[in-house]
Amino acid sequence: MTPEQIKAAQRIGLTVLEAIRDAGPTGAPSGVLYAALMGQGCTFSQYQSLMAPLERRGYVQLEHQCYTLTSTGQAFINQLKQTVDRGHLITPTAQPA
C-alpha cells in the first residue's frame, strides 16, 4: 500500500470505530455498517478485511451481529485521531492479552 492508501484506510477505520462507539451499549449492527460502506463502493470482501483485524486486535467485539467498542478500541480511536489529524502513519501496537 502507498502512504496515501494507508492514510485513507486509517481515516475509514477511525470513522467505523467512531460509528460503533456512537451506537452505544447495544452496538452497531454489522449489516448497517456494511450497507453504509457499500454505499461508498466497499465490497463485502473489503468490509471483512476491515472488520476482522479490528476484532482480532480487540478493538471491537461482535455479538449477535452487532459490534461494540472495547476500551482498547477507545484508546485506538484516540491514537488514530491524533495521527489522522497530523497526517502521519501509524502501526497499531495494542494487542489483546
Side-chain angles (χ1 to χ4, degrees):
M1 290 179 77
T2 68
E4 288 307 312
Q5 289 171 322
I6 294 169
K7 289 177 188 177
Q10 289 177 345
R11 287 190 296 272
I12 293 166
L14 175 59
T15 301
V16 168
L17 287 169
E18 288 177 327
I20 292 169
R21 179 199 60 206
D22 293 348
T26 57
S30 179
V32 172
L33 289 172
Y34 171 56
L37 290 169
M38 186 175 58
Q40 299 301 312
C42 183
T43 66
F44 186 63
S45 177
Q46 290 169 327
Y47 174 72
Q48 290 176 316
S49 294
L50 171 68
M51 298 310 294
L54 296 178
E55 189 174 3
R56 189 172 50 250
R57 291 179 184 272
Y59 301 149
V60 298
Q61 292 179 334
L62 179 62
E63 188 172 323
H64 305 293
Q65 297 301 311
C66 288
Y67 283 102
T68 54
L69 189 70
T70 65
S71 58
T72 303
Q74 182 57 57
F76 191 54
I77 285 175
N78 297 338
Q79 183 183 9
L80 271 175
K81 277 185 175 182
Q82 292 176 0
T83 303
V84 168
D85 288 346
R86 292 184 194 139
H88 296 129
L89 305 178
I90 62 166
T91 302
T93 55
Q95 296 292 323

Coordinates of all heavy atoms in Angstrom, one line a residue:
M1 N 0.8 -1.2 0.0 CA 0.0 0.0 0.0 C 0.9 1.2 0.0 O 1.9 1.3 0.6 CB -0.9 0.0 1.2 CG -2.0 -1.0 1.3 SD -3.0 -1.0 2.8 CE -4.0 0.4 2.4
T2 N 0.4 2.2 -0.7 CA 1.1 3.5 -0.7 C 0.8 4.3 0.6 O -0.2 4.0 1.3 CB 0.7 4.4 -1.9 OG1 -0.7 4.8 -1.7 CG2 0.8 3.7 -3.2
P3 N 1.6 5.3 1.0 CA 1.3 6.0 2.2 C -0.1 6.7 2.1 O -0.8 6.7 3.1 CB 2.4 7.1 2.2 CG 3.5 6.4 1.5 CD 2.9 5.6 0.4
E4 N -0.5 7.1 0.9 CA -1.9 7.7 0.8 C -3.0 6.7 1.0 O -4.0 7.0 1.6 CB -2.0 8.4 -0.5 CG -1.2 9.7 -0.7 CD -1.5 10.7 0.5 OE1 -2.7 10.9 0.8 OE2 -0.5 11.2 1.0
Q5 N -2.8 5.5 0.6 CA -3.7 4.4 0.8 C -3.8 4.1 2.2 O -4.9 3.8 2.8 CB -3.4 3.2 -0.1 CG -3.6 3.4 -1.5 CD -3.0 2.2 -2.4 OE1 -2.0 1.7 -2.1 NE2 -3.8 1.8 -3.4
I6 N -2.7 4.0 2.9 CA -2.7 3.8 4.3 C -3.4 4.8 5.1 O -4.2 4.6 6.0 CB -1.2 3.6 4.9 CG1 -0.6 2.3 4.2 CG2 -1.2 3.5 6.4 CD1 0.9 2.2 4.5
K7 N -3.2 6.1 4.8 CA -3.9 7.2 5.4 C -5.4 7.1 5.2 O -6.2 7.3 6.1 CB -3.3 8.5 4.9 CG -2.0 8.9 5.4 CD -1.5 10.2 4.8 CE 0.0 10.4 5.1 NZ 0.4 11.7 4.4
A8 N -5.8 6.7 4.0 CA -7.2 6.6 3.7 C -7.8 5.5 4.5 O -8.9 5.6 5.1 CB -7.4 6.3 2.2
A9 N -7.1 4.3 4.6 CA -7.6 3.2 5.4 C -7.7 3.6 6.9 O -8.6 3.2 7.6 CB -6.6 2.0 5.3
Q10 N -6.7 4.4 7.4 CA -6.8 4.9 8.8 C -8.0 5.8 9.0 O -8.7 5.7 10.0 CB -5.5 5.6 9.2 CG -4.4 4.7 9.3 CD -3.1 5.4 9.6 OE1 -2.9 6.6 9.5 NE2 -2.1 4.6 10.0
R11 N -8.3 6.6 8.0 CA -9.5 7.5 8.2 C -10.8 6.7 8.2 O -11.7 7.0 8.9 CB -9.5 8.6 7.1 CG -8.5 9.6 7.3 CD -8.6 10.8 6.3 NE -8.4 10.4 4.9 CZ -7.3 10.4 4.3 NH1 -6.2 10.8 4.9 NH2 -7.2 10.0 3.0
I12 N -10.8 5.7 7.3 CA -12.0 4.8 7.2 C -12.1 4.0 8.5 O -13.2 4.0 9.1 CB -11.9 3.8 6.0 CG1 -12.0 4.6 4.7 CG2 -13.0 2.7 6.1 CD1 -11.6 3.8 3.5
G13 N -11.0 3.5 9.0 CA -11.1 2.7 10.3 C -11.6 3.6 11.4 O -12.4 3.2 12.3
L14 N -11.1 4.9 11.5 CA -11.5 5.8 12.5 C -13.0 6.1 12.4 O -13.7 6.0 13.5 CB -10.7 7.1 12.4 CG -11.1 8.2 13.4 CD1 -10.9 7.8 14.8 CD2 -10.3 9.5 13.1
T15 N -13.5 6.3 11.2 CA -14.9 6.5 11.1 C -15.7 5.4 11.5 O -16.8 5.5 12.2 CB -15.2 6.9 9.6 OG1 -14.4 8.0 9.2 CG2 -16.6 7.2 9.4
V16 N -15.3 4.2 11.2 CA -16.1 3.0 11.5 C -16.0 2.8 13.1 O -17.1 2.5 13.7 CB -15.5 1.7 10.8 CG1 -16.1 0.4 11.4 CG2 -15.8 1.8 9.3
L17 N -14.9 3.0 13.7 CA -14.8 2.8 15.1 C -15.6 3.9 15.8 O -16.3 3.5 16.8 CB -13.3 2.9 15.6 CG -12.5 1.7 15.2 CD1 -11.0 2.0 15.5 CD2 -12.9 0.5 16.0
E18 N -15.6 5.1 15.3 CA -16.5 6.1 16.0 C -18.0 5.8 15.8 O -18.8 6.0 16.7 CB -16.1 7.5 15.4 CG -14.8 8.0 15.8 CD -14.4 9.3 15.2 OE1 -14.8 9.6 14.0 OE2 -13.7 10.1 15.9
A19 N -18.3 5.2 14.7 CA -19.7 4.9 14.4 C -20.2 3.8 15.4 O -21.3 3.8 16.0 CB -20.0 4.4 13.0
I20 N -19.3 2.8 15.6 CA -19.5 1.7 16.6 C -19.7 2.3 18.0 O -20.6 2.0 18.7 CB -18.5 0.6 16.5 CG1 -18.6 -0.1 15.1 CG2 -18.6 -0.3 17.7 CD1 -17.4 -1.0 14.8
R21 N -18.7 3.2 18.4 CA -18.8 3.8 19.7 C -20.1 4.6 19.9 O -20.8 4.5 20.9 CB -17.6 4.8 19.9 CG -17.6 5.5 21.2 CD -16.7 6.7 21.2 NE -17.2 7.7 20.2 CZ -16.4 8.6 19.6 NH1 -15.1 8.7 19.9 NH2 -16.9 9.4 18.7
D22 N -20.5 5.4 18.8 CA -21.7 6.2 18.9 C -23.0 5.4 19.0 O -24.0 5.9 19.4 CB -21.7 7.2 17.8 CG -20.5 8.2 17.9 OD1 -19.9 8.3 18.9 OD2 -20.3 8.9 16.9
A23 N -22.9 4.1 18.5 CA -24.1 3.3 18.6 C -24.5 2.9 20.0 O -25.6 2.6 20.3 CB -23.9 2.0 17.8
G24 N -23.6 3.1 20.9 CA -23.9 2.9 22.3 C -23.7 1.4 22.8 O -23.2 0.6 22.0
P25 N -24.3 1.1 23.9 CA -24.0 -0.2 24.5 C -24.7 -1.4 23.8 O -24.3 -2.5 23.9 CB -24.6 -0.1 25.9 CG -25.5 1.1 25.9 CD -25.0 2.0 24.8
T26 N -25.7 -1.1 23.0 CA -26.4 -2.2 22.2 C -25.6 -2.5 21.0 O -25.7 -3.6 20.4 CB -27.8 -1.8 21.8 OG1 -27.7 -0.6 21.0 CG2 -28.7 -1.6 23.0
G27 N -24.7 -1.6 20.6 CA -23.8 -1.9 19.5 C -24.3 -1.5 18.1 O -25.5 -1.1 18.0
A28 N -23.4 -1.5 17.1 CA -23.8 -1.2 15.8 C -24.0 -2.4 14.9 O -23.1 -3.3 14.9 CB -22.6 -0.4 15.1
P29 N -25.2 -2.6 14.4 CA -25.5 -3.8 13.6 C -24.5 -3.9 12.4 O -24.2 -2.9 11.7 CB -26.9 -3.6 13.1 CG -27.5 -2.6 14.0 CD -26.3 -1.7 14.4
S30 N -23.9 -5.1 12.3 CA -22.9 -5.3 11.2 C -23.5 -5.0 9.8 O -22.8 -4.4 9.0 CB -22.4 -6.8 11.3 OG -21.5 -7.1 10.3
G31 N -24.7 -5.4 9.6 CA -25.3 -5.2 8.3 C -25.5 -3.7 8.0 O -25.3 -3.3 6.8
V32 N -25.8 -2.9 9.0 CA -25.9 -1.5 8.8 C -24.5 -0.8 8.4 O -24.4 0.0 7.5 CB -26.6 -0.8 10.0 CG1 -26.5 0.7 9.9 CG2 -28.0 -1.3 10.2
L33 N -23.5 -1.3 9.2 CA -22.2 -0.8 8.9 C -21.8 -1.1 7.4 O -21.3 -0.3 6.7 CB -21.1 -1.4 9.9 CG -21.2 -0.9 11.3 CD1 -20.2 -1.7 12.2 CD2 -20.8 0.6 11.3
Y34 N -22.0 -2.4 7.1 CA -21.7 -2.8 5.7 C -22.4 -2.0 4.7 O -21.9 -1.6 3.7 CB -21.9 -4.3 5.6 CG -21.7 -4.8 4.1 CD1 -20.6 -4.5 3.4 CD2 -22.8 -5.4 3.5 CE1 -20.4 -4.9 2.1 CE2 -22.7 -5.8 2.2 CZ -21.5 -5.6 1.5 OH -21.4 -6.0 0.2
A35 N -23.7 -1.8 4.9 CA -24.5 -1.1 3.9 C -24.0 0.3 3.8 O -24.0 0.8 2.6 CB -26.0 -1.1 4.4
A36 N -23.6 1.0 4.9 CA -23.1 2.3 4.8 C -21.8 2.3 3.9 O -21.6 3.2 3.1 CB -22.8 2.9 6.2
L37 N -20.9 1.4 4.2 CA -19.7 1.3 3.4 C -19.9 0.9 2.0 O -19.2 1.3 1.1 CB -18.7 0.4 4.1 CG -18.1 0.9 5.4 CD1 -17.4 -0.2 6.2 CD2 -17.2 2.1 5.2
M38 N -20.9 0.0 1.8 CA -21.2 -0.5 0.4 C -21.7 0.7 -0.4 O -21.3 0.8 -1.6 CB -22.3 -1.5 0.5 CG -22.6 -2.1 -0.9 SD -23.8 -3.5 -0.8 CE -25.2 -2.7 -0.1
G39 N -22.4 1.6 0.2 CA -22.8 2.8 -0.5 C -21.7 3.7 -0.9 O -21.8 4.6 -1.8
Q40 N -20.5 3.5 -0.4 CA -19.3 4.3 -0.7 C -18.4 3.4 -1.6 O -17.3 3.8 -1.9 CB -18.5 4.7 0.5 CG -19.3 5.6 1.4 CD -19.8 6.9 0.7 OE1 -19.0 7.5 0.1 NE2 -21.0 7.2 0.9
G41 N -18.9 2.3 -2.1 CA -18.1 1.4 -3.0 C -17.4 0.3 -2.4 O -16.6 -0.4 -3.1
C42 N -17.6 0.0 -1.1 CA -16.9 -1.0 -0.4 C -17.5 -2.4 -0.8 O -18.8 -2.5 -0.7 CB -17.0 -0.8 1.1 SG -16.1 -2.0 2.1
T43 N -16.7 -3.4 -1.1 CA -17.2 -4.7 -1.4 C -17.3 -5.5 0.0 O -16.7 -5.0 1.0 CB -16.3 -5.5 -2.3 OG1 -15.0 -5.7 -1.6 CG2 -16.1 -4.8 -3.6
F44 N -18.0 -6.6 -0.1 CA -18.1 -7.4 1.2 C -16.8 -7.9 1.6 O -16.5 -7.9 2.8 CB -19.1 -8.6 1.0 CG -19.4 -9.3 2.2 CD1 -20.0 -8.7 3.3 CD2 -19.0 -10.7 2.3 CE1 -20.2 -9.4 4.5 CE2 -19.2 -11.4 3.5 CZ -19.9 -10.8 4.6
S45 N -16.0 -8.3 0.7 CA -14.6 -8.8 1.0 C -13.8 -7.7 1.6 O -13.1 -7.9 2.6 CB -13.9 -9.3 -0.3 OG -12.6 -9.6 0.0
Q46 N -13.9 -6.4 1.1 CA -13.2 -5.3 1.8 C -13.7 -5.0 3.2 O -13.0 -4.7 4.1 CB -13.3 -4.1 0.9 CG -12.6 -4.2 -0.4 CD -12.9 -3.0 -1.4 OE1 -14.1 -2.6 -1.4 NE2 -11.9 -2.6 -2.2
Y47 N -15.0 -5.2 3.3 CA -15.6 -5.0 4.6 C -15.1 -6.0 5.6 O -14.7 -5.6 6.7 CB -17.2 -5.1 4.5 CG -17.9 -5.0 5.9 CD1 -18.0 -3.9 6.6 CD2 -18.4 -6.2 6.4 CE1 -18.6 -3.8 7.8 CE2 -19.1 -6.2 7.6 CZ -19.2 -5.0 8.3 OH -19.8 -4.9 9.6
Q48 N -15.0 -7.2 5.2 CA -14.5 -8.3 6.1 C -13.0 -8.0 6.4 O -12.6 -8.2 7.5 CB -14.6 -9.6 5.4 CG -16.1 -10.1 5.4 CD -16.2 -11.4 4.6 OE1 -15.6 -11.6 3.6 NE2 -17.0 -12.3 5.2
S49 N -12.3 -7.5 5.4 CA -10.8 -7.2 5.6 C -10.6 -6.0 6.5 O -9.6 -5.9 7.2 CB -10.2 -6.9 4.2 OG -10.2 -8.1 3.5
L50 N -11.6 -5.2 6.6 CA -11.6 -4.0 7.6 C -11.9 -4.5 9.0 O -11.2 -4.1 9.9 CB -12.5 -2.9 7.1 CG -12.8 -1.8 8.1 CD1 -11.5 -0.9 8.2 CD2 -13.9 -0.9 7.6
M51 N -13.0 -5.2 9.1 CA -13.5 -5.6 10.4 C -12.7 -6.7 11.1 O -12.6 -6.6 12.3 CB -15.0 -6.0 10.3 CG -15.9 -4.9 9.8 SD -15.7 -3.3 10.6 CE -16.3 -3.7 12.2
A52 N -12.2 -7.7 10.4 CA -11.5 -8.8 11.0 C -10.3 -8.3 11.9 O -10.2 -8.8 13.0 CB -11.1 -9.8 10.0
P53 N -9.5 -7.5 11.4 CA -8.3 -7.0 12.2 C -8.8 -6.2 13.4 O -8.2 -6.3 14.5 CB -7.5 -6.2 11.3 CG -7.9 -6.4 9.9 CD -9.3 -7.0 10.0
L54 N -9.9 -5.4 13.3 CA -10.4 -4.7 14.4 C -10.9 -5.6 15.5 O -10.6 -5.3 16.7 CB -11.5 -3.7 14.0 CG -11.2 -2.6 13.0 CD1 -12.4 -1.8 12.6 CD2 -10.1 -1.7 13.5
E55 N -11.5 -6.7 15.1 CA -12.0 -7.7 16.1 C -10.8 -8.5 16.6 O -10.7 -8.7 17.9 CB -13.0 -8.6 15.4 CG -13.7 -9.5 16.4 CD -14.8 -10.3 15.8 OE1 -15.0 -10.2 14.6 OE2 -15.5 -11.0 16.5
R56 N -9.9 -8.9 15.8 CA -8.8 -9.7 16.2 C -7.9 -9.0 17.2 O -7.3 -9.6 18.1 CB -8.0 -10.1 15.0 CG -6.9 -11.2 15.2 CD -6.3 -11.7 13.9 NE -5.8 -10.7 13.0 CZ -6.4 -10.4 11.8 NH1 -7.5 -11.1 11.4 NH2 -6.0 -9.4 11.0
R57 N -7.7 -7.7 17.0 CA -6.8 -6.9 17.9 C -7.6 -6.5 19.2 O -7.0 -5.8 20.0 CB -6.3 -5.6 17.1 CG -5.3 -6.0 16.1 CD -4.9 -4.7 15.4 NE -4.0 -5.0 14.3 CZ -2.7 -5.1 14.4 NH1 -2.1 -5.0 15.6 NH2 -1.9 -5.4 13.3
G58 N -8.8 -6.8 19.3 CA -9.6 -6.5 20.5 C -10.1 -5.1 20.5 O -10.5 -4.6 21.6
Y59 N -10.2 -4.4 19.4 CA -10.8 -3.1 19.4 C -12.3 -3.1 19.4 O -12.9 -2.2 19.9 CB -10.3 -2.3 18.2 CG -8.8 -2.1 18.0 CD1 -8.2 -2.1 16.8 CD2 -8.0 -2.0 19.1 CE1 -6.9 -1.9 16.6 CE2 -6.6 -1.9 19.0 CZ -6.1 -1.8 17.8 OH -4.7 -1.7 17.6
V60 N -12.9 -4.1 18.8 CA -14.3 -4.3 18.8 C -14.7 -5.7 19.1 O -13.8 -6.6 19.0 CB -15.0 -3.9 17.4 CG1 -14.7 -2.5 17.1 CG2 -14.4 -4.8 16.3
Q61 N -15.9 -6.0 19.6 CA -16.4 -7.3 19.8 C -17.7 -7.5 19.0 O -18.5 -6.5 18.9 CB -16.8 -7.5 21.3 CG -15.6 -7.5 22.2 CD -15.9 -7.7 23.6 OE1 -17.0 -7.4 24.0 NE2 -15.0 -8.3 24.4
L62 N -17.9 -8.6 18.4 CA -19.1 -8.9 17.6 C -19.9 -9.9 18.4 O -19.4 -11.0 18.7 CB -18.7 -9.5 16.2 CG -19.9 -9.9 15.3 CD1 -20.7 -8.7 15.0 CD2 -19.4 -10.6 14.1
E63 N -21.1 -9.5 18.7 CA -22.0 -10.4 19.4 C -23.4 -10.2 18.9 O -23.9 -9.0 18.8 CB -22.0 -10.1 20.9 CG -22.8 -11.1 21.8 CD -22.5 -10.9 23.3 OE1 -21.4 -10.5 23.7 OE2 -23.5 -11.0 24.0
H64 N -24.1 -11.2 18.5 CA -25.5 -11.2 17.9 C -25.5 -10.2 16.7 O -26.4 -9.4 16.6 CB -26.5 -10.7 19.0 CG -26.5 -11.6 20.2 ND1 -26.9 -12.9 20.2 CD2 -26.1 -11.3 21.5 CE1 -26.7 -13.4 21.4 NE2 -26.3 -12.5 22.2
Q65 N -24.5 -10.3 15.9 CA -24.3 -9.5 14.7 C -24.2 -8.0 14.9 O -24.5 -7.2 14.0 CB -25.5 -9.8 13.7 CG -25.5 -11.2 13.2 CD -24.2 -11.6 12.5 OE1 -23.7 -10.9 11.6 NE2 -23.5 -12.7 12.9
C66 N -23.9 -7.6 16.2 CA -23.7 -6.2 16.5 C -22.2 -6.0 17.0 O -21.8 -6.8 17.8 CB -24.6 -5.7 17.5 SG -26.3 -5.5 16.9
Y67 N -21.6 -4.9 16.5 CA -20.2 -4.6 17.0 C -20.3 -3.6 18.2 O -21.1 -2.7 18.1 CB -19.4 -4.0 15.9 CG -18.9 -5.0 14.9 CD1 -19.5 -5.1 13.7 CD2 -17.8 -5.8 15.2 CE1 -19.0 -6.0 12.7 CE2 -17.3 -6.7 14.3 CZ -17.9 -6.8 13.1 OH -17.4 -7.7 12.1
T68 N -19.6 -3.9 19.2 CA -19.4 -2.9 20.3 C -17.9 -2.6 20.4 O -17.1 -3.4 20.1 CB -20.0 -3.4 21.6 OG1 -19.3 -4.7 21.9 CG2 -21.5 -3.6 21.6
L69 N -17.7 -1.4 20.9 CA -16.3 -0.9 21.1 C -15.8 -1.3 22.4 O -16.5 -1.3 23.4 CB -16.3 0.6 21.0 CG -14.9 1.3 20.9 CD1 -14.2 1.0 19.6 CD2 -15.1 2.8 21.1
T70 N -14.5 -1.7 22.5 CA -13.9 -2.1 23.8 C -13.1 -0.9 24.3 O -12.9 0.1 23.5 CB -12.9 -3.3 23.6 OG1 -11.8 -2.9 22.7 CG2 -13.6 -4.5 23.0
S71 N -12.6 -1.0 25.5 CA -11.7 0.1 26.0 C -10.4 0.2 25.2 O -9.9 1.3 24.9 CB -11.4 -0.2 27.5 OG -10.7 -1.4 27.6
T72 N -9.9 -0.9 24.7 CA -8.8 -0.9 23.8 C -9.1 -0.2 22.5 O -8.3 0.6 21.9 CB -8.3 -2.3 23.4 OG1 -8.0 -3.0 24.7 CG2 -7.1 -2.4 22.6
G73 N -10.3 -0.4 22.0 CA -10.8 0.3 20.8 C -10.9 1.8 21.0 O -10.5 2.6 20.1
Q74 N -11.3 2.2 22.2 CA -11.4 3.7 22.5 C -10.0 4.3 22.5 O -9.8 5.4 22.0 CB -12.1 3.9 23.8 CG -12.3 5.4 24.2 CD -13.0 6.2 23.1 OE1 -14.1 5.9 22.7 NE2 -12.4 7.2 22.6
A75 N -9.1 3.6 23.1 CA -7.7 4.0 23.1 C -7.1 4.2 21.7 O -6.4 5.1 21.4 CB -6.8 3.1 24.0
F76 N -7.5 3.2 20.9 CA -7.0 3.2 19.5 C -7.7 4.4 18.7 O -7.0 5.0 17.9 CB -7.3 1.9 18.8 CG -6.6 1.8 17.4 CD1 -5.3 2.0 17.3 CD2 -7.4 1.5 16.3 CE1 -4.6 1.9 16.1 CE2 -6.8 1.4 15.1 CZ -5.4 1.6 14.9
I77 N -9.0 4.7 19.0 CA -9.6 5.9 18.4 C -8.8 7.1 18.8 O -8.5 8.0 17.9 CB -11.1 6.0 18.9 CG1 -12.0 5.0 18.2 CG2 -11.6 7.5 18.7 CD1 -13.4 5.0 18.7
N78 N -8.4 7.3 20.0 CA -7.7 8.4 20.5 C -6.3 8.5 19.7 O -5.9 9.6 19.3 CB -7.4 8.4 22.0 CG -8.7 8.5 22.7 OD1 -9.7 8.9 22.3 ND2 -8.7 8.0 24.0
Q79 N -5.7 7.4 19.5 CA -4.4 7.4 18.8 C -4.6 7.7 17.3 O -3.9 8.5 16.8 CB -3.8 6.0 19.0 CG -2.4 5.9 18.3 CD -1.9 4.4 18.4 OE1 -2.5 3.5 18.8 NE2 -0.6 4.3 18.0
L80 N -5.7 7.1 16.7 CA -5.9 7.4 15.3 C -6.3 8.9 15.1 O -5.8 9.5 14.1 CB -7.1 6.5 14.8 CG -6.8 5.2 14.3 CD1 -8.0 4.4 13.9 CD2 -5.9 5.3 13.1
K81 N -7.1 9.4 16.0 CA -7.4 10.9 15.8 C -6.2 11.7 15.8 O -6.1 12.6 14.9 CB -8.3 11.3 17.0 CG -9.8 11.0 16.8 CD -10.5 11.6 18.0 CE -12.0 11.4 17.8 NZ -12.8 12.0 18.9
Q82 N -5.3 11.5 16.7 CA -4.1 12.3 16.7 C -3.3 12.1 15.4 O -2.7 13.1 14.9 CB -3.2 12.0 17.9 CG -3.8 12.4 19.2 CD -3.0 11.9 20.4 OE1 -2.0 11.3 20.3 NE2 -3.5 12.2 21.6
T83 N -3.2 10.9 15.0 CA -2.4 10.6 13.8 C -3.0 11.1 12.5 O -2.3 11.7 11.7 CB -2.2 9.0 13.7 OG1 -1.6 8.6 14.9 CG2 -1.4 8.6 12.5
V84 N -4.3 10.9 12.4 CA -5.0 11.4 11.2 C -5.0 12.9 11.1 O -4.8 13.4 10.1 CB -6.5 10.8 11.2 CG1 -7.3 11.5 10.1 CG2 -6.5 9.3 10.9
D85 N -5.1 13.5 12.3 CA -5.1 15.0 12.3 C -3.7 15.5 11.9 O -3.6 16.6 11.2 CB -5.4 15.5 13.7 CG -6.9 15.4 14.0 OD1 -7.7 15.1 13.1 OD2 -7.2 15.5 15.2
R86 N -2.7 14.8 12.2 CA -1.3 15.3 11.8 C -0.9 14.8 10.5 O 0.1 15.2 10.0 CB -0.3 14.7 12.9 CG -0.5 15.3 14.2 CD 0.6 14.8 15.1 NE 0.3 15.2 16.5 CZ 0.5 14.3 17.5 NH1 1.0 13.2 17.4 NH2 0.2 14.7 18.7
G87 N -1.7 13.8 9.9 CA -1.3 13.3 8.6 C -0.2 12.3 8.6 O 0.4 12.0 7.6
H88 N 0.0 11.7 9.8 CA 1.1 10.7 9.9 C 0.5 9.2 9.7 O -0.7 9.0 9.8 CB 1.8 10.8 11.3 CG 2.5 12.0 11.5 ND1 2.3 12.8 12.6 CD2 3.4 12.7 10.7 CE1 3.0 13.9 12.5 NE2 3.7 13.9 11.4
L89 N 1.4 8.3 9.6 CA 1.0 6.9 9.5 C 1.3 6.3 10.9 O 2.2 6.6 11.6 CB 1.8 6.2 8.4 CG 1.8 6.8 7.1 CD1 2.6 6.0 6.1 CD2 0.3 6.8 6.5
I90 N 0.5 5.2 11.2 CA 0.8 4.5 12.5 C 0.7 3.0 12.2 O 0.1 2.6 11.3 CB -0.2 4.9 13.6 CG1 -1.6 4.5 13.2 CG2 -0.1 6.3 14.0 CD1 -2.6 4.5 14.4
T91 N 1.4 2.3 13.1 CA 1.3 0.9 13.1 C 0.7 0.5 14.5 O 1.3 0.9 15.5 CB 2.6 0.2 13.0 OG1 3.2 0.6 11.7 CG2 2.5 -1.3 13.0
P92 N -0.5 -0.1 14.6 CA -1.1 -0.4 15.9 C -0.2 -1.3 16.7 O 0.4 -2.2 16.2 CB -2.4 -1.1 15.5 CG -2.6 -1.0 14.1 CD -1.3 -0.6 13.5
T93 N -0.1 -1.0 18.0 CA 0.7 -1.8 18.9 C -0.1 -2.5 19.9 O 0.4 -3.5 20.5 CB 1.8 -0.9 19.6 OG1 1.1 0.2 20.3 CG2 2.8 -0.3 18.6
A94 N -1.3 -2.1 20.2 CA -2.1 -2.7 21.2 C -2.5 -4.1 20.7 O -3.1 -4.2 19.7 CB -3.3 -1.8 21.5
Q95 N -2.2 -5.1 21.5 CA -2.6 -6.4 21.2 C -3.5 -7.0 22.3 O -3.2 -6.6 23.5 CB -1.4 -7.3 21.0 CG -0.5 -6.9 19.8 CD -1.2 -7.2 18.5 OE1 -1.9 -8.2 18.4 NE2 -1.0 -6.3 17.6
P96 N -4.4 -7.8 22.1 CA -5.2 -8.4 23.1 C -4.4 -9.2 24.0 O -3.4 -9.9 23.6 CB -6.3 -9.2 22.4 CG -5.8 -9.3 21.0 CD -4.8 -8.3 20.8
A97 N -4.7 -9.2 25.3 CA -4.0 -10.0 26.3 C -4.3 -11.5 26.2 O -5.3 -11.9 25.7 CB -4.3 -9.5 27.7

